[in-house]
Every structure is written in C-alpha cells, then in structure tokens.
Amino acid sequence: VVVVGEAADGDAALDRLLALEPDVVTLDVEMPGQDGLATLEAIMRRRPTPVLMVSARTAAGAHVTLRALARGAVDFVTKPDGSVSMSLGALRDELIAKVLAAAGARRRPLRPPIEIRRDRVSRPPEVRVPRQAPRCGVAIGASTGGVMALQVVLGKLPVPLEVPIFVAQHMPAHFTAAFARLLEDSTGLPAKEAQDGEPVRPGWVYVAPGGRHLTVVARGRGAFEARLCVSDEPAAITLRPSVNRLFESVARVYGAGTVAVVLTGMGNDGTDGLAAVKAAGGIALCQDESTSVVYGMPGSAVRAGLADVVAPVGRLGEEIGRALDALDRAHT
C-alpha cells in the first residue's frame, strides 16, 4: 500500500483526488470545512472512487458513518479511544486489509434502487409471545458492502412479513443499534438490535449486536418457543458477530424451513454455516459477483457448491419470497 497524497480538509481532498487519481480514498468523518459525508457525495459525483471512512466510536460517529455507507462508501475503520484496547499495529493491519479490499471493489451507483416504503409495516405486538415458532426463519450474513445490500434486499421483501429475519453484519459495537434504525427507516420493516433472551416474533428484523454472537435457541418440544441468545461464546471465534454461528443455530431451530442468504463481504464467513443449512434441508441464496462490492463471502459459498440461487442484489428479496412460498407449500 502506497500513500500518494494527503489532504487536511474536504476541499483539498477533492483537488488531490482529481490530480492524483488514487485507487482508494480514506476519509475522516469529521473534518474542518466540508465534512466527510459531503466530501463523499462530491467524490461520487466528480470521480467515483472506493472510499474507506474513518469514524469515531460514538453514537454520532456511527450515525454519520452508516449514512456514508448507504451513499456509496465501501467500508469503515474506527479510531481507537480510551475505552478500546486496540494497538496501533492491529489498527494498521485492519486498515491495510480494508484498503486492499476496497482497491479491488467494483464501483456501483451512489444510490442503488432501494424501494423505500412510504408507510411502515405494522409492528407485530410486543406483548404476546408466540406459543409456536414460525415454520420458517430467514438468516442473512454480510460484511463489506452489506449496509447498502441489506437495505436493497430487505426493501424488496414481500409484505406482510410472516417470518423472523436474523441479520449478522460484520460491525463493531456501538454501530448496530444505529444500523437497525437505518434499516427500519429505509425499508419500513420493524427492526431492532437483538437482546439476549428476547422471544422471537415473526415480522421482525433482528440485528446481531456488534462485537457479539447472535444465535437462536428453541425451548420445549412440539409447540416450542424460539428465543435469541447474545453472547461472547465461543471465545475462539474472534469474528463477531459470526455468520457461521448464526446460520448453524437457525438451521437447528428451523430445519428445512431455513432460508439463508450470503451477501457481499471479505473472507469466507458463512460458508460453513450454509453447509449446515443445506444439511438441514434449507435453502441457500448468494449475491452474485457483478453486484458484490467484495465477492469473498458469497464467492466462497458458491465455489463450495452450496448455493441454490445466485442472483443480483436487486433480485434477492424476490428470491427470498419465492423460497418462503416454496417452503410454505411444502408444509401444507
């Protein structure tokens, strides 16, 4: 990785961008003059370039960073603060890995065709715990590029939604609560950051808390109750939330009624979990290479021969609906 130029503010960054034509831009969320979000939008208008945001670990930083990711930024890194034990070496390694991934990212339009619902879907009642879990459950895993992709996929799901949706997006703590609000605002579906011990209700989107694993457990036999489990275990899996862990647990609870989706992202998280879904008789969907910011995660699953459907991100919501219809017919 070679640094070809630096800029102290947004205006200078735009001038350097046009003069130097870098492969990747790292952009601070907070800058003097034109802020990071305005600078990002100007970059996408004048010379679309993979952008990696640099954010503070604060609620305000999370909000702006997520807005940036929804507007075309490829990924982000967080600045260490007094409450976070991250060495400069670890930060350097993360930054280099994400810059290299961003350099290989395919550029997409700034605003994908997200269909935002004018009226929010009615929230299922909070007071009633279902006596029996829904026949089907949908689990979605994503990493780099997932903020945009998840909005597109969830925004195109058929409504009313009669199954729960479980989401594992690779994201640090302090960001996922804001991410759940973003998903609700942009798709109209009720969404929330998952809480340990919470009963699973159909129609809700549950987002794994950043830095922790999300799994689903069933209690009882026959007419059972499904609940969420949020934990740091197993500690051996350092990637949290783990898509594999989520998929494996959903497959145990919903069996052949599982629909699992692997979206854009670095690495291969989700491949082993998708194998568990297939072994349980569930359906596996993957985002295609042409619409993935990084084809690592879906590409790994496709190469392993696990995908029943490989589709562009704009069609995956419809494909999930078709899968759920097929499973519903199989159970009737």
Side-chain angles (χ1 to χ4, degrees):
V1 176
V2 177
V3 179
V4 297
E6 300 178 7
D9 56 44
D11 292 329
L14 290 171
D15 292 339
R16 296 289 180 89
L17 173 75
L18 298 176
L20 299 173
E21 298 185 346
D23 296 311
V24 179
V25 173
T26 60
L27 190 60
D28 204 317
V29 169
E30 299 175 355
M31 296 188 298
Q34 184 169 254
D35 66 15
L37 193 59
T39 303
L40 169 68
E41 292 177 337
I43 288 172
M44 293 304 178
R45 287 195 305 270
R46 298 175 66 177
R47 186 184 181 272
T49 303
V51 173
L52 187 67
M53 304 301 294
V54 181
S55 169
R57 286 178 178 259
T58 63
H63 177 70
V64 176
T65 301
L66 290 169
R67 288 173 63 193
L69 293 171
R71 284 164 171 76
V74 171
D75 206 344
F76 71 100
V77 294
T78 54
K79 304 174 188 177
D81 57 29
S83 64
V84 179
S85 58
M86 174 184 282
S87 68
L88 291 179
L91 178 60
R92 177 201 60 205
D93 293 345
E94 179 188 7
L95 182 60
I96 290 173
K98 290 190 174 182
V99 165
L100 291 174
R106 290 172 169 79
R107 300 312 307 136
R108 296 289 160 251
L110 177 58
R111 289 180 176 84
I114 302 171
E115 295 182 1
I116 300 176
R117 308 184 195 287
R118 295 186 182 275
D119 299 319
R120 292 193 178 188
V121 177
S122 298
R123 287 175 174 250
E126 287 275 13
V127 295
R128 183 178 60 84
V129 176
R131 294 182 61 82
Q132 183 168 348
R135 292 174 176 173
C136 302
V138 177
I140 306 176
S143 186
T144 307
V147 170
M148 252 204 246
L150 278 159
Q151 290 178 85
V152 174
V153 172
L154 296 178
K156 291 179 176 289
L157 287 176
V159 292
L161 193 62
E162 298 180 350
V163 300
I165 308 288
F166 310 101
V167 173
Q169 163 72 50
H170 293 164
M171 195 172 281
H174 311 301
F175 280 76
T176 41
F179 180 45
R181 290 192 296 271
L182 173 66
L183 289 178
E184 181 162 318
D185 290 342
S186 62
T187 69
L189 297 174
K192 65 190 302 183
E193 186 180 56
Q195 297 179 359
D196 186 48
E198 182 175 6
V200 172
R201 295 177 175 84
W204 278 88
V205 178
Y206 296 102
V207 178
R212 308 196 73 191
H213 297 307
L214 171 64
T215 55
V216 186
V217 296
R219 297 176 180 175
R221 296 180 179 178
F224 63 83
E225 174 188 309
R227 289 187 175 269
L228 304 178
C229 178
V230 175
S231 75
D232 299 321
E233 297 298 331
I237 301 178
T238 56
L239 190 61
R240 299 190 186 101
S242 164
V243 178
N244 284 329
R245 286 275 291 161
L246 174 63
F247 283 6
E248 290 163 359
S249 71
V250 174
R252 284 193 296 269
V253 172
Y254 296 98
T258 302
V259 177
V261 187
V262 179
L263 300 179
T264 173
M266 289 191 294
N268 61 5
D269 192 19
T271 297
D272 291 343
L274 216 55
V277 170
K278 293 292 295 178
I283 298 175
L285 288 74
C286 290
Q287 185 173 349
D288 73 348
E289 185 173 7
S290 69
T291 62
S292 294
V293 173
V294 179
Y295 196 52
M297 285 168 52
S300 172
V302 171
R303 289 190 296 273
L306 297 170
D308 295 301
V309 175
V310 180
V313 67
R315 212 180 74 211
L316 279 172
E318 178 184 346
E319 293 293 342
I320 293 172
R322 288 178 179 172
L324 291 173
D325 286 343
L327 291 174
D328 188 56
R329 289 194 299 271
H331 283 99
T332 56

